[in-house]
Amino acid sequence: MRAVVLMGALMGALMGALVLGGACRSEPGTNALALAPGDPGAPVQTYFDALAGADCPKLRASIGGEAEASILAVGCAGAFQQFAEHPTKLMGVESIAADGRDPTLRLVRARVRVGDAERVVVIGVRAMNGSWRVVRI
């Protein structure tokens, strides 16, 4: 009988710990500061500023993932030439949302001007090594 009471108490304590542990854990992707400090929209501005200013170190510091692979494939000079041929101006960040499939990714809706037309694009920004990086344009 004593073993049953002890087992019941142990199970109750274990269940309580599981409930408390679940209550303290945030939903994936909701705590941006746990992933990287600062504004996930900031590297988007840095990316466009670096392209416009032909600043390779600044560009490299703002990118990662697919975006970095694309820049490495053509080099900074190639990226700056492509940008000069198709100048794009960031008009502003409209919203930032967590990607429901990847808690380290934010989807930044940005308004850009290409020539005389404005449009909204979604730019992927990921927390990488403690900072936000543009990973997908």
Side-chain angles (χ1 to χ4, degrees), residues 59-119:
L59 178 63
R60 297 286 308 274
S62 69
I63 58 176
E66 294 171 25
E68 184 175 29
S70 295
I71 298 296
L72 290 175
V74 298
C76 284
F80 299 144
Q81 181 179 347
Q82 289 176 3
F83 183 78
E85 292 169 2
H86 307 284
T88 305
K89 179 175 174 61
L90 178 65
M91 304 306 290
V93 170
E94 292 193 348
S95 66
I96 300 170
D99 182 325
R101 299 162 295 177
D102 182 346
T104 66
L105 186 69
R106 296 295 180 268
L107 303 175
V108 178
R109 290 177 45 88
R111 180 163 298 280
V112 297
R113 179 183 300 266
V114 182
D116 293 334
E118 281 191 22
R119 64 184 183 145

Side-chain angles (χ1 to χ4, degrees), residues 17-29:
L18 289 174
V19 169
L20 285 175
C24 293
R25 188 177 309 129
S26 63
E27 288 295 314

